[in-house]
Amino acid sequence: MNKHFNHDQLINELKNVDTKKHHSIGLILDKLNGEELIGTPYDEDDTFTLEPITSDIEKQFIMLDKTLNYETIFRSEDEQGKDWALEYGLLSSKKYDDCFLICLQSIGRDFTDTILEKYDKSEKDFKSKITDYIHIHFESKSDAKHNWSRDVYLSKGYNWDLDRLFVFLKKILVEKKKSVPKDYVAIWKHRENQKKLTYERIKYFS
């Protein structure tokens, strides 16, 4: 699947992306490979995909190159992610300090994979910059405002403004309950001090 893939070329390509314009990470990967990428963690003959409902994005990037690391930072989805999922992830390299915030959104399996912003892992406050960006993007530019969020998952190690997030989720829940009176929103966060990442529910609105 990745015989033409060049790790250094990918990082250089992403570093030169103009984040004021839309850029698809999937299209960049295909371009660098010279053809459509093939292979998933489940079937080596399937088309490589970053669709966030059906794919394990972390494993996809590891299959592509073991020096790549993908971390899901923030995820929001409808009931068990059946029809809508929105995921913010950080793509980085073991060889470089550059890292890239990516937004993956799927609506009925039609998905987008957008490079949002670039960061430097050597900067002490880079994680705070990332969470600030995600809060703004989630509220104003994602489809969460259309009342689809039911479960929201937060990664540990990041400075989330929980009060701000709760206010926004309660606001969209009020609108959602006009058509689905018994609906709810649950917020989950990684448990602290655990090597194996599991989530615990930290807030529930109904």
Side-chain angles (χ1 to χ4, degrees), residues 10-144:
L10 173 62
I11 300 302
N12 286 330
E13 185 83 15
L14 294 177
K15 285 171 64 175
N16 291 319
V17 160
D18 181 357
T19 54
K20 294 180 181 179
K21 300 178 181 179
H22 177 268
H23 291 274
S24 162
I25 179 70
L27 291 179
I28 288 175
L29 289 170
D30 286 342
K31 183 183 77 171
L32 292 177
N33 193 55
E35 58 186 0
E36 185 179 60
L37 286 165
I38 301 297
T40 74
Y42 313 108
D43 189 335
E44 62 181 15
D45 295 322
D46 272 355
T47 301
F48 179 94
T49 179
L50 298 176
E51 196 279 312
I53 292 178
T54 59
S55 303
D56 186 321
I57 309 300
E58 181 180 357
K59 289 182 179 179
Q60 284 287 73
F61 279 111
I62 290 174
M63 284 186 65
L64 189 61
D65 191 303
K66 292 182 180 179
T67 58
L68 293 174
N69 180 65
Y70 177 84
E71 175 191 7
T72 300
I73 299 174
F74 181 110
R75 181 179 172 92
S76 181
E77 60 187 29
D78 65 359
E79 184 180 0
Q80 299 176 350
K82 291 179 180 178
D83 296 309
W84 176 76
L86 171 71
E87 179 170 315
Y88 296 94
L90 194 68
L91 179 64
S92 61
S93 164
K94 296 177 182 178
K95 296 171 61 178
Y96 302 98
D97 285 331
D98 305 283
C99 53
F100 310 92
L101 181 64
I102 298 172
C103 178
L104 307 173
Q105 182 169 237
S106 179
I107 304 173
R109 304 301 191 273
D110 290 328
F111 74 98
T112 56
D113 53 353
T114 308
I115 304 163
L116 294 180
E117 195 52 87
K118 299 174 282 187
Y119 299 94
D120 186 337
K121 290 185 293 184
S122 66
E123 295 182 0
K124 292 183 179 180
D125 63 343
F126 89 96
K127 286 190 174 181
S128 293
K129 292 179 180 178
I130 289 173
T131 51
D132 289 344
Y133 190 105
I134 290 175
H135 279 300
I136 294 170
H137 192 275
F138 182 63
E139 293 171 7
S140 62
K141 296 185 180 181
S142 81
D143 283 318

Side-chain angles (χ1 to χ4, degrees), residues 145-150 171-184:
K145 58 182 177 290
H146 298 308
N147 312 324
W148 286 334
S149 291
R150 174 172 281 185
K171 180 180 177 181
I172 63 174
L173 180 61
V174 168
E175 293 301 314
K176 192 173 184 180
K177 287 172 74 70
K178 292 178 181 178
S179 56
V180 189
K182 295 184 178 181
D183 216 333
Y184 65 87

